[in-house]
Amino acid sequence: MKQLRCKIKGHNLSLISKQLIHIKEYECTHCHQKFTKDGYGRIVKFTRYWEKNHEFFQNHFQKQILS
């Protein structure tokens, strides 16, 4: 029933990640699917690809801060 609601009305997203200013992760409050923004500002599903991408950027920015 929760997934049907999201299909009809759309997802109700809330911000769940505040690790870096550039990386934002969202979660639907009804179906609990995770989403993120791509390079163009579009909201996409949070897949393994995006998880690796976010880890790479986190490590890159942490190295810059420490240097």
Side-chain angles (χ1 to χ4, degrees), residues 39-65:
Y40 297 106
R42 297 177 294 202
I43 295 178
V44 294
K45 279 189 179 179
F46 190 72
T47 60
R48 183 73 179 145
Y49 169 79
W50 290 109
E51 186 176 352
K52 286 183 180 181
N53 193 8
H54 287 240
E55 287 176 12
F56 172 76
F57 280 112
Q58 268 185 324
N59 293 335
H60 180 73
F61 284 122
Q62 285 177 353
K63 287 179 185 176
Q64 283 186 344
I65 292 171

Side-chain angles (χ1 to χ4, degrees), residues 9-57:
K9 289 191 171 187
H11 295 283
N12 186 14
L13 301 177
S14 63
L15 186 65
I16 59 170
S17 175
K18 296 182 182 178
Q19 296 172 359
L20 289 175
I21 296 171
H22 305 290
I23 298 174
K24 293 185 170 47
E25 296 174 9
Y26 304 93
E27 184 177 24
C28 179
T29 56
H30 300 292
C31 64
H32 301 290
Q33 287 184 345
K34 292 185 179 182
F35 297 91
T36 188
K37 286 191 175 182
D38 66 357
Y40 297 106
R42 297 177 294 202
I43 295 178
V44 294
K45 279 189 179 179
F46 190 72
T47 60
R48 183 73 179 145
Y49 169 79
W50 290 109
E51 186 176 352
K52 286 183 180 181
N53 193 8
H54 287 240
E55 287 176 12
F56 172 76
F57 280 112

